[in-house]
Amino acid sequence: MSNPQQLRYSKEHEWLSAAADGVSTVGITEFAANSLGDVVFVQLPEVGAAVTAGETCGELESTKSVSDLYSPVTGEVTEINQDVVDDPSLVNSAPFEGGWLFRVRVAEEPADLLSATEYATFTTG
């Protein structure tokens, strides 16, 4: 499993893209998608909603369990991925591409986000 180097990662298994015009994309990692099993339902925050780093902002339901979705940053949701709402299996088949979850205008980014190497160590150690 290879984590894209340009992303940052939370210990709750979300990834975050670099901000473009202050907006970052959020998704769950391949590690999390594999651990969940087949995702069958996603509940995402609404556009305009305020999210807070480390706090629950949605839910992922799989054939194995239900898991909370945590925001890796504090900010305002600017877009959700309607394709994932319509076809939750994208979270499993393309977690770093078409399976992204939402975009957020970042107000504050926590200092404890991990690099790809640090996240790989975190998930194997």
Side-chain angles (χ1 to χ4, degrees), residues 80-122:
I80 64 163
N81 186 349
Q82 188 63 45
D83 291 341
V84 165
V85 173
D86 296 339
D87 181 7
S89 70
L90 288 170
V91 171
N92 298 104
S93 63
F96 296 113
E97 295 90 22
W100 63 274
L101 300 175
F102 64 93
R103 293 198 168 108
V104 60
R105 181 166 308 284
V106 179
E108 185 179 336
E109 187 175 304
D112 64 349
L113 291 176
L114 306 172
S115 69
T117 303
E118 291 168 330
Y119 181 74
T121 300
F122 173 71

Side-chain angles (χ1 to χ4, degrees), residues 24-83:
S24 290
T25 303
V26 175
I28 67 165
T29 65
E30 185 175 8
F31 176 87
N34 289 340
S35 296
L36 277 171
D38 295 332
V39 176
V40 296
F41 175 78
V42 295
Q43 176 191 352
L44 301 175
E46 293 184 19
V47 172
V51 293
T52 303
E55 292 190 8
T56 302
C57 64
E59 190 174 89
L60 300 169
E61 184 178 327
S62 72
T63 54
K64 291 182 181 180
S65 66
V66 176
S67 180
D68 287 333
L69 173 64
Y70 297 91
S71 179
V73 294
T74 298
E76 180 184 337
V77 176
T78 62
E79 181 181 357
I80 64 163
N81 186 349
Q82 188 63 45
D83 291 341

